[in-house]
Amino acid sequence: MESEIVLTGCTVVDGRALAGVPPLPGAAVWVRGDRIAAVGPAAEVLAEAGDCRQVDLAGAYLTPGLVNMHTHLSLSLPGRGGDAVKGLSPYELAHYMADGARRTLHCGVTTVRCVAEKDHADFALRRAITSGQAAGPRIFTAGRALVCTGGHGHEGTDTLECDGADGFRRGVRDQVKAGADLIKVMISGGIAGEHESIHTRQLFADELAAAIETAHAWGRKVTAHAGPAPVIAEAVELGLDCVEHGYQLTPEVTALMAERGTALVPTLLVTRCKEFFDELGVPEWMQRRSLGAGPRHLESYAMALAAGVEVLLGSDMPPFWPFEGTNASVRELEHMSESGLGPARALHAGTLGPVRWLGAEADLGTVEPGKYADLIAMDGDPLATASAFRGVRWVMSGGRIVRDDQAGWNAP
């Protein structure tokens, strides 16, 4: 017999608030198996559910779990911290990534989009989580990111070097064969490549067109690591579905992105995280490039908001990483909110918006009957401040409680 729980003592709120769906105070949520069976006023839900276990959330706000759209569970930046990850054996890497997945789930991120992981270990980790052998968020992954020879990130086993249109077509098919849900391409330089700059063009139009056309033929969206406006504009014209970073956008490019429905995952943290860089021993040249790009990065983000571009939560830093009194996912969401998005749109950008991009809205993203019971609870109101997510104290994944601070435990 499948397990049943009724969650009481909560106010239900989700990203539909932007569409006029108000919070529901005094609510109850009936969870049957791994999905939500009913949501409504407590008396009604309790009457419908009958005699089953009740969990009192003691006045918490209940929302869908967060979705982090720019995740690297095997991240290895230049420096001693990254070198340590690069030195892991395949077995050690699997354990390292599994530990990161567990920490990610416990901090309230119940879904991630991996955008370049080493050795295709992400596929094995996804299978382990799905089968219940490991604890972690739901994983949507690009497998290995596609780069030109010597391109951004070419040094690691989380990328695949390709050249020419045929090479990029083959690269896309290779990731699809491995089980990729989406494709990532590196179309410009970035902050972590010593022998490049942010505005270095790295793919020619025929290569980019081949990658996008092939991915779309296989029903996969394409996202691109990209900084400079001219390269991004060309990619958007060719059908790019999402931009990562967007360090040097312009009003013209953001208008084009909005018109074509190209989303932006701004990763604001990566240009304002000196403490993180110092912790990992990131070299001075990269710190200068990253932190120096910060002001222009914020200007680009503001342009995107003004143009109506869909912006989505993504930290680039490991989602669970302790940073500035919270974790990387929440700190990124705070930056997005405080830099012009506002709390209600931030809630949408961290839940329903990403889920829609992933094409998973039938199962995720809102607190509604039929959806997976991927839920988090906190004492603060997320519609008043994105910092409410600092107070996440209870996490459920697929109907299973994995964190309960009041009871004083986390699931292994």
Side-chain angles (χ1 to χ4, degrees), residues 280-369:
L280 296 184
V282 169
E284 184 61 29
W285 65 262
M286 179 177 163
Q287 294 210 29
R288 283 197 307 270
R289 184 183 299 172
S290 171
L291 303 176
R296 182 68 176 87
H297 194 185
L298 273 184
E299 290 175 5
S300 293
Y301 176 66
M303 292 174 192
L305 294 184
V309 173
E310 175 89 354
V311 296
L312 308 172
L313 170 64
S315 61
D316 206 346
M317 289 169 57
F320 61 86
W321 204 273
F323 186 67
E324 295 185 349
T326 184
N327 59 70
S329 300
V330 173
R331 192 69 188 101
E332 175 69 22
L333 199 62
E334 288 178 328
H335 277 305
M336 293 173 71
S337 178
E338 294 162 2
S339 299
L341 192 62
R345 292 172 67 194
L347 173 61
H348 187 276
T351 55
L352 185 54
V355 162
R356 284 176 173 166
W357 192 95
L358 293 167
E361 60 267 36
D363 292 315
L364 300 168
T366 57
V367 187
E368 291 183 275

Side-chain angles (χ1 to χ4, degrees), residues 146-356:
L146 307 184
V147 304
C148 67
T149 295
H152 183 74
H154 74 278
E155 307 92 343
T157 59
D158 49 2
T159 58
L160 178 66
E161 288 183 310
C162 308
D163 288 298
D166 288 345
F168 276 91
R169 288 190 191 278
R170 189 175 300 112
V172 169
R173 291 169 180 150
D174 183 70
Q175 301 318 298
V176 172
K177 177 182 176 181
D181 304 291
L182 64 139
I183 299 297
K184 183 183 181 184
V185 291
M186 308 290 207
I187 67 174
S188 77
I191 63 175
E194 186 171 9
H195 304 296
E196 63 188 35
S197 66
I198 288 175
H199 60 265
T200 302
R201 173 186 291 273
Q202 297 196 345
L203 266 70
F204 291 108
D206 64 329
E207 296 172 315
L208 184 54
I212 293 174
E213 180 184 30
T214 306
H216 286 176
W218 284 87
R220 270 56 168 191
K221 289 183 176 180
V222 181
T223 194
H225 162 99
V231 175
I232 293 171
E234 182 179 87
V236 172
E237 291 279 10
L238 290 169
L240 183 69
D241 301 291
C242 188
V243 171
E244 309 296 311
H245 314 303
Y247 301 118
Q248 300 171 353
L249 298 173
T250 63
E252 293 76 18
V253 172
T254 54
L256 179 63
M257 290 173 64
E259 176 189 333
R260 298 297 179 89
T262 307
L264 171 67
V265 180
T267 67
L268 298 175
L269 273 183
V270 301
T271 56
R272 43 198 38 82
C273 60
K274 179 169 175 52
E275 174 188 316
F276 174 68
F277 289 153
D278 288 343
E279 183 179 353
L280 296 184
V282 169
E284 184 61 29
W285 65 262
M286 179 177 163
Q287 294 210 29
R288 283 197 307 270
R289 184 183 299 172
S290 171
L291 303 176
R296 182 68 176 87
H297 194 185
L298 273 184
E299 290 175 5
S300 293
Y301 176 66
M303 292 174 192
L305 294 184
V309 173
E310 175 89 354
V311 296
L312 308 172
L313 170 64
S315 61
D316 206 346
M317 289 169 57
F320 61 86
W321 204 273
F323 186 67
E324 295 185 349
T326 184
N327 59 70
S329 300
V330 173
R331 192 69 188 101
E332 175 69 22
L333 199 62
E334 288 178 328
H335 277 305
M336 293 173 71
S337 178
E338 294 162 2
S339 299
L341 192 62
R345 292 172 67 194
L347 173 61
H348 187 276
T351 55
L352 185 54
V355 162
R356 284 176 173 166

